[in-house]
Amino acid sequence: KLMVTIRRCTKEDEKAVLELITNVMSKEFQDAASAYPMEDVEQIATAYGGIGDAFFVAVDDHNKVVGTVAVKKEDERIALLRRLFVAPTHRNLRIGKKLIEHAIRFCREAGYGEMIFKTTSRMSGAIQLCMKNGFVQRAHIALGPIELLKFSLSLNPQKG
């Protein structure tokens, strides 16, 4: 059985993260690549180093990065869910689900009230995962050939 651990991205993971995301984007989402500048992934520690920010990786038992998810602070109340990727070799193993759950837990603990996920209509895997986890579509913007979708999840922090 495949063991996957989700943990914070370290300096040592950064090259593998960049490779994974670049590969998936160039193979599966070429036409959307321009909508997703890579600066944040090229400098994870800087882009996700703030309070309320996080970049998580899913690693297999050989410590190989097989998935990513990031949380970026939008404001005191709202967090952005970003960079949800699972390696093509490791799909349909519930890794994406674990990544989202991990990110949601982080956001609850950080005191956010809402998570926002923006994506293109092409990223159907990510969209299905988010909807399964309670995200609701809030907006739909046509951007030339690409449709941008915005999903939102209310976190109502549990008191207790």
Side-chain angles (χ1 to χ4, degrees):
K1 184 177 165 5
L2 180 78
M3 279 303 297
V4 170
T5 309
I6 294 170
R7 57 166 174 75
R8 287 262 187 171
C9 181
T10 65
K11 194 88 196 115
E12 293 71 42
D13 298 322
E14 290 184 7
K15 195 168 164 292
V17 166
L18 184 58
E19 242 163 63
L20 168 67
I21 294 177
T22 307
N23 285 342
V24 172
M25 288 302 295
S26 62
K27 288 193 178 72
E28 300 175 38
F29 305 109
Q30 259 165 337
D31 54 347
S34 60
Y36 293 95
M38 296 294 282
E39 287 92 326
D40 64 308
V41 186
E42 284 159 9
Q43 41 189 349
I44 291 170
T46 313
Y48 298 97
I51 305 262
D53 295 341
F55 198 105
F56 298 108
V57 290
V59 294
D60 67 11
D61 24 26
H62 307 292
N63 211 30
K64 177 176 158 36
V65 174
V66 295
T68 64
V69 71
V71 172
K72 185 80 185 146
K73 177 177 184 167
E74 172 98 323
D75 60 36
E76 293 308 314
R77 212 185 73 74
I78 297 174
L80 298 176
L81 180 72
R82 304 186 64 186
R83 297 300 181 185
L84 179 61
F85 284 96
V86 175
T89 47
H90 286 71
R91 294 202 182 142
N92 302 315
L93 299 170
R94 303 178 80 80
I95 295 171
K97 179 176 163 49
K98 284 185 180 143
L99 283 163
I100 288 187
E101 286 169 354
H102 200 86
I104 291 172
R105 197 159 52 241
F106 170 84
C107 288
R108 282 211 165 104
E109 283 164 13
Y112 288 114
E114 185 182 0
M115 279 175 92
I116 300 284
F117 178 63
K118 296 176 184 158
T119 185
T120 72
S121 51
R122 292 285 167 90
M123 297 195 168
S124 52
I127 291 170
Q128 284 168 350
L129 260 177
C130 283
M131 291 179 81
K132 274 187 197 151
N133 281 277
F135 281 77
V136 177
Q137 187 175 329
R138 296 280 181 225
H140 174 277
I141 304 136
L143 201 75
I146 303 167
E147 292 173 300
L148 288 182
L149 307 175
K150 180 175 154 187
F151 293 86
S152 148
L153 174 71
S154 167
L155 294 172
N156 307 331
Q158 275 75 31
K159 304 277 181 276

